[in-house]
Amino acid sequence: MGAHRPDEPTWIEPIHNPYLHGIYAPTLYETHATDLEVEGELPSDLFGAFVRNGPNSVFAPKNLYHWFDGDGMVHAVYFRDGRASYRSRLVRTEGLSDEERHGGSIWPGIMGPFDFSLPRGPIKDTANTDLIFHNGQLLALWYLCGAPHRIDPHTLDTLGIEDFGGKLRTTVSAHPKVDPRTGELVYFTLSDDAPFMRYGVVSADGELAHEIPIELPGPRSPHDLTITENHSIVHDFPLFHDSEILRKSGHRVTRFHRDLPSRFGVVARRGSADSVRWFEFEPGYVLHMVNAWEDGDWITMDGCFQPDPTIVRRAEEGELASMLGYLRIRAHLHRWRMNLATGEAREEPLDDLNVEFCLPDTDLYGARTRYSYHQHLPPDMDTVDFRALVKYDHESGRCQRFDYPAGHYGGESPFARRAGATAEDDGYITSFVSDESGRSQCWVFSALDITKGPIAKVELPTRVPIGFHAKWIPGGRLWKQ
Ligand SMILES: [Fe+2]
């Protein structure tokens, strides 16, 4: 497990769980530093903030620890005039406040056992998964559907829970989409009770404007949704848990039902519940889609498809085998097409490299995109191992790849469009890169050619544990006059 580092909590030491040590170890530090040292030269037109969420457990786990259990922590690198600053802050959820008062963990994590008698439900809403910039603020979101936590994008202080004009009556999943044309926020949420999903639209100024039930055949666990100019696409995959087993045993047992199709439901942006049109495809699972767009009667949607999401357990991993197996993601870039006039459904793989944590230029969500930026994960990895940055050209099928040096690990890498950009990929890619010694940097690539490696490396004052989702906030939106 290595020597103890001063930024790590001492309670991790006796716990044999790879997601609590090394590059995954939680940090005790909440940090602010300006005028960071830079190796290379930061482009003077790199203007905005690179923000990332991720798990960072404050207290020792009550039972087995799953990587998805940690308290949310937001890390941000701000770029302006060729200089960079950094800040990190925990997301101050109500559950974390309860535990601070209690002096330790209250909730077991997602490996259970689920205790339905606990306050606020059987699992803590950690808000650790995703970050969305909408209506001038950041929202921290949880993949199991929770309260959208409002985060000040400058101070990273948790401001409270967003209720969208007092109208939000449900939780919200990770991965809502902000329509760059209208400013609307489009979201879904899940429930173990019928209708099992709800779908909603929040206006650009933060008022819940539309909300409908989406009837699914049972409790499901989709993770993402996509938008086009006029439609939204919700997901129903045959990888799900049995809510009766969960209620009786306290354990969420997820199974892949390979006899059932993958289904995508297309609904007009503010369409009615009875207008959802379902399209069927090969069984499998998708954590993250790249984007979707309209082309005449066709909707095209690209994403990272897992045709066999069966959890491969290694006996020697004992009680952690389910978590470790689930996290060994096997996904490739895939395209689904749906014809709204004929009902025709087509699909095809676009490549076979194992990739996930994909992002296009998010200012083009809902519009045709040619490029996307992914992380390559070796399919036989022991733990989630962001080994290479991959740029796909969805039109030619070609990809560029930059392998992080040995012992260095990246993370989700958003695209920052360059001021005056003349092409879709005319901009920068930012990524946290951490090494095994505890050093973390923020690397900046030219998106035009990532194979040349980073053009600048920003030295961070503290270690950034490997985490989940990242976004780019353009400076013009962040620093409004
Ligand atoms: Fe996600």
Side-chain angles (χ1 to χ4, degrees):
M1 307 219 173
H4 179 76
R5 295 186 292 227
D7 67 322
E8 296 174 352
T10 52
W11 57 256
I12 66 173
E13 287 178 34
I15 303 177
H16 289 271
N17 186 319
Y19 285 102
L20 285 173
H21 299 278
I23 56 174
Y24 304 97
T27 177
L28 292 167
Y29 298 161
E30 292 178 280
T31 305
H32 179 223
T34 56
D35 261 326
L36 301 174
E37 205 178 297
V38 179
E39 189 182 320
E41 195 168 342
L42 281 176
S44 58
D45 59 358
L46 182 61
F47 177 46
F50 164 55
V51 294
R52 202 214 68 194
N53 204 345
N56 199 85
S57 273
V58 173
F59 295 107
K62 198 165 178 183
N63 193 21
L64 293 176
Y65 177 77
H66 192 292
W67 191 37
F68 294 171
D69 287 336
D71 299 290
M73 183 180 259
V74 179
H75 304 260
V77 182
Y78 302 89
F79 298 92
R80 193 172 192 171
D81 301 326
R83 296 209 294 269
S85 61
Y86 166 78
R87 196 184 285 274
S88 61
R89 287 284 181 276
L90 284 162
V91 183
R92 298 274 163 194
T93 61
E94 291 174 331
L96 177 57
S97 297
D98 290 347
E99 291 185 331
E100 283 172 333
R101 282 191 292 273
H102 177 69
S105 288
I106 294 173
W107 291 266
I110 63 169
M111 284 198 275
F114 283 38
D115 179 352
F116 290 90
S117 71
L118 286 172
R120 308 188 197 285
I123 324 184
K124 178 172 51 171
D125 175 356
T126 60
N128 71 7
T129 311
D130 196 16
L131 286 171
I132 301 289
F133 188 69
H134 178 249
N135 190 28
Q137 64 187 1
L138 274 171
L139 297 175
L141 296 150
W142 187 41
Y143 82 109
L144 284 176
C145 303
H149 285 73
R150 297 167 52 217
I151 307 287
D152 182 302
H154 300 281
T155 64
L156 303 186
D157 289 337
T158 305
L159 303 174
I161 288 173
E162 177 58 61
D163 61 8
F164 300 133
K167 293 179 179 167
L168 184 69
R169 298 280 177 267
T170 66
T171 55
V172 172
S173 174
H175 302 301
K177 294 291 174 292
V178 176
D179 185 325
R181 294 167 300 272
T182 66
E184 291 169 312
L185 179 141
V186 182
Y187 72 91
F188 74 101
T189 190
L190 301 167
S191 163
D192 270 5
D193 301 307
F196 307 108
M197 180 186 277
R198 301 189 78 86
Y199 159 85
V201 181
V202 177
S203 66
D205 58 2
E207 289 267 330
L208 183 61
H210 181 72
E211 206 257 7
I212 58 167
I214 304 277
E215 286 185 31
L216 298 179
R220 293 292 184 268
S221 308
H223 184 74
D224 201 356
L225 99 170
T226 37
I227 58 169
T228 67
E229 186 179 349
N230 298 297
H231 297 89
S232 301
I233 300 123
V234 294
H235 307 169
D236 169 11
F237 296 111
L239 180 77
F240 51 85
H241 68 277
D242 184 321
S243 56
E244 276 307 299
I245 293 176
L246 175 61
R247 284 197 182 100
K248 284 181 186 152
S249 73
H251 292 277
R252 184 187 283 262
V253 179
T254 299
R255 273 188 54 213
F256 177 43
H257 301 263
R258 59 179 76 244
D259 53 324
L260 295 176
S262 296
R263 301 193 314 145
F264 297 127
V266 181
V267 60
R269 176 68 54 83
R270 299 194 184 194
S272 60
D274 59 6
S275 67
V276 183
R277 294 188 57 187
W278 291 96
F279 293 78
E280 294 193 357
F281 293 91
E282 289 296 313
Y285 189 71
V286 176
L287 272 171
H288 304 112
M289 291 290 181
V290 172
N291 197 10
W293 60 87
E294 295 166 21
D295 182 6
D297 292 329
W298 288 96
I299 286 177
T300 299
M301 182 164 65
D302 292 350
C304 298
F305 183 46
Q306 303 177 38
D308 182 5
T310 311
I311 297 169
V312 181
R313 294 174 179 83
R314 296 179 185 168
E316 68 273 20
E317 290 173 340
E319 58 193 9
L320 299 179
S322 286
M323 169 185 70
L324 295 170
Y326 176 83
L327 290 168
R328 273 183 210 110
I329 298 164
R330 291 158 289 152
H332 65 263
L333 186 62
H334 200 81
R335 172 164 288 177
W336 297 265
R337 301 190 75 210
M338 296 165 274
N339 190 302
L340 296 176
T342 65
E344 192 180 345
R346 296 181 190 169
E347 65 183 304
E348 58 175 336
L350 298 182
D351 194 34
D352 58 5
L353 186 68
N354 205 61
V355 288
E356 242 296 344
F357 284 79
C358 48
L359 284 173
D361 175 353
T362 56
D363 266 354
L364 295 174
Y365 270 143
R368 180 192 294 271
T369 39
R370 178 170 177 178
Y371 300 105
S372 61
Y373 308 91
H374 302 235
Q375 300 299 310
H376 165 55
L377 304 145
D380 59 348
M381 60 195 173
D382 291 328
T383 53
V384 168
D385 179 349
F386 298 110
R387 194 71 66 81
L389 173 64
V390 175
K391 172 190 176 186
Y392 272 110
D393 178 339
H394 296 230
E395 286 180 14
S396 71
R398 286 194 291 271
C399 73
Q400 291 179 358
R401 169 173 173 165
F402 175 81
D403 284 77
Y404 303 114
H408 291 67
Y409 304 91
E412 191 162 65
S413 302
F415 172 84
R417 188 184 295 179
R418 201 174 63 79
T422 55
E424 185 190 311
D425 56 347
D426 188 357
Y428 305 102
I429 298 293
T430 49
S431 181
F432 285 129
V433 176
S434 294
D435 70 21
E436 286 164 346
S437 75
R439 181 187 197 189
S440 293
Q441 299 177 320
C442 178
W443 289 12
V444 179
F445 298 79
S446 165
L448 291 167
D449 187 355
I450 63 165
T451 64
K452 290 179 178 162
I455 54 176
K457 298 177 179 177
V458 178
E459 196 69 39
L460 299 176
T462 54
R463 184 176 56 87
V464 178
I466 301 297
F468 301 144
H469 290 294
K471 290 281 164 21
W472 176 257
I473 310 173
R477 281 170 231 170
L478 191 60
W479 286 290
K480 276 189 181 154
Q481 298 306 312

